[in-house]
Amino acid sequence: MSQATASEVVNPATEEVLRTVEHTGEAGVDDAVARARAAQRRWAAQAPAERAAALRDFAAIVDAHVEELAQLEVANSGHPVGNARWEAGHVRDVLQYYSAAPERLSGKQIPVAGGLDVTFNEPLGVVGVITPWNFPMTIAAWGFAPALAAGNAVLVKPAEWTPLTTMRLGELAVESGLPADLFQVLPGRGSVVGERFVSHPDVRKIVFTGSTEVGTRVMAGAAKQVKRVTLELGGKSANIVFDDCDLERAAATAPYGVFDNSGQDCCARSRILVQRNVFDKFMELLEPAVKGVVVGDPASDGTEMGPLVSKTHWNSVSSFVPDDAPVAFRGDAPSGPGFWFPPTVLMPERGDRTVTEEIFGPVVAVLPFDDEADAIALANDTVYGLSGSIWTENLSRAMRVSRAVEAGNLSVNSHSSVRYSTPFGGFKQSGLGRELGPDAPLSFTETKNVFFAVEEN
């Protein structure tokens, strides 16, 4: 399919159509790649300080439009406004952080016999970034900011359900003075725009965030050209609660470790593993915490959880909670228009699909474990390995368990997974490569080694 089409973008809290977005066709992608190649050559030729200044200007204009971007995300994605303001500010901060990189990609001088050996960090060229619908602005920035800093051009394909904030960032980039065609947002279908990113020989790397199912297809397609990929895929993260932890705090924070963004988060701690001898007490503490989550109008400052993103996704989440599901308790959610789903706590058996499959909604499975070895085995009994939390006051146990759990991002006595200054990514089928942190720009470069022979006198 190469014909450009269009789709309606819907407010998930009201089910009202916000606008119609034109889709990019295959010919449009090819044209964008050609223009991006030319822009990239000019960008890479600029002095590092000039590129750094341009990224700071981009960050400044995002800062001036934080409220606009936040309100747009509230309408398009149903994110609570407080979360959306943080997300817009995060885009600014990521740009500011990586604006320091162009002047610090210094390469190395390596001692060798007979001459001088140096390395250069050469930009790849054109990078294709394919983003998901759950955190449109932030995840796009994780790709485009370090890629631009490393001297590349970037094409972004936002998710069809939630393209509006990314499209606006593309406009703000131009307004900030970033060179024309260097950063382009191409809304469209994954089967058209995304697949052309993968197949186009002049797109030298794909950054994909989404399902493991689609990620494997991206990886297979990229392999045909030995094209570089960074993949951030699914998760089924464990929140491990030991009997020696601050149980009240662990229970009070557990809902926010899984129900943030309505559970539409690859880092969601969607399995709570509780030591058996404190299981009943933990459940007593968890129930009021879950029922206290404020679910409602995402435009309201007091809202903590909004709707699911679409009716299609609502149906998917609902399929995990049939009428005979082992529901321990639920929170509240509005009735009427909107794709609302209440925070839901299940007490399933270990082999149940709610324990093994990624639900991507406000549904959490709570399971007991016997001892440390059992907790580790249960936490690792998944094809995923993205994130997780460990609750214990025992430092030695925290060290042992954090080294034993097969996941890329762990928190002890908290649920924090993502900081732009530290690396982020998964083990096993949760992905390949790392985003964020000080080394991210290097993943958008090739290392070139040059030896200069020195003649003896």
Side-chain angles (χ1 to χ4, degrees), residues 82-105:
N83 295 34
R85 288 182 180 125
W86 180 91
E87 290 158 22
H90 182 78
V91 174
R92 171 204 61 217
D93 293 344
V94 169
L95 279 165
Q96 190 73 28
Y97 181 72
Y98 288 113
S99 71
E103 297 169 275
R104 290 165 173 78
L105 290 173

Side-chain angles (χ1 to χ4, degrees), residues 235-237 258 268-273 316-322 324-327 341 344-361 363-367 381-382 384:
K236 193 68 180 177
S237 300
V258 64
R269 277 67 167 166
S270 54
R271 295 179 299 151
I272 304 177
L273 316 182
S316 174
V317 173
S318 296
S319 72
F320 286 90
V321 193
D324 61 348
V327 175
F341 201 97
T344 302
V345 178
L346 306 178
M347 292 175 58
E349 298 298 318
R350 288 191 177 191
D352 192 81
R353 67 186 290 245
T354 58
V355 179
T356 60
E357 297 179 28
E358 185 175 37
I359 301 172
F360 223 62
V363 180
V364 64
V366 189
L367 301 100
D381 188 19
T382 172
Y384 300 113

Side-chain angles (χ1 to χ4, degrees), residues 370-414:
D370 294 318
D371 54 22
E372 188 175 310
D374 189 34
I376 293 167
L378 183 54
N380 288 339
D381 188 19
T382 172
V383 298
Y384 300 113
L386 186 58
S387 194
S389 297
I390 300 160
W391 289 80
T392 177
E393 295 299 312
N394 183 321
L395 179 60
S396 295
R397 169 178 278 167
M399 284 293 297
R400 290 192 303 266
V401 176
S402 62
R403 294 303 300 271
V405 171
E406 298 166 342
N409 308 272
L410 294 169
S411 299
V412 176
N413 296 330
S414 79

Side-chain angles (χ1 to χ4, degrees), residues 59-273:
I61 201 166
V62 170
D63 184 52
H65 291 80
V66 161
E67 186 63 23
E68 176 197 345
L69 289 164
Q71 294 298 335
L72 199 57
E73 203 67 273
V74 169
N76 190 179
S77 301
H79 291 189
V81 66
N83 295 34
R85 288 182 180 125
W86 180 91
E87 290 158 22
H90 182 78
V91 174
R92 171 204 61 217
D93 293 344
V94 169
L95 279 165
Q96 190 73 28
Y97 181 72
Y98 288 113
S99 71
E103 297 169 275
R104 290 165 173 78
L105 290 173
S106 53
K108 296 179 180 178
Q109 183 268 315
I110 303 172
V112 295
L116 172 71
D117 194 276
V118 296
T119 64
F120 299 92
N121 300 309
E122 302 286 6
L124 297 173
V126 179
V127 174
V129 178
I130 303 171
T131 60
W133 48 258
N134 60 328
F135 290 104
M137 284 188 285
T138 55
I139 292 177
W142 299 355
F144 70 68
L148 290 170
N152 300 280
V154 181
L155 306 178
V156 181
K157 190 210 88 67
E160 293 167 49
W161 289 342
T162 58
L164 298 186
T165 49
T166 310
M167 292 169 65
R168 183 63 180 132
L169 286 172
E171 295 169 353
L172 292 175
V174 175
E175 291 179 31
S176 75
L178 206 67
D181 302 326
L182 186 70
F183 174 55
Q184 301 175 58
V185 178
L186 308 179
R189 299 190 183 281
S191 59
V192 179
V193 179
E195 288 195 8
R196 188 54 180 151
F197 281 5
V198 173
S199 66
H200 199 299
D202 291 328
V203 177
R204 298 296 173 80
K205 177 171 181 173
I206 302 294
V207 179
F208 173 81
T209 303
S211 70
T212 298
E213 178 187 5
V214 177
T216 57
R217 297 206 299 268
V218 170
M219 190 174 181
K224 295 175 183 177
Q225 298 172 27
V226 196
K227 185 173 297 191
R228 279 74 178 133
V229 294
T230 295
L231 305 174
E232 200 273 277
L233 308 175
K236 193 68 180 177
S237 300
N239 177 12
I240 309 172
V241 180
F242 287 99
D243 61 3
D244 64 347
C245 78
D246 182 338
L247 204 63
E248 287 76 12
R249 185 160 166 254
T253 59
Y256 302 96
V258 64
F259 300 141
D260 182 57
N261 199 31
S262 307
Q264 301 168 134
D265 184 348
C266 48
C267 290
R269 277 67 167 166
S270 54
R271 295 179 299 151
I272 304 177
L273 316 182

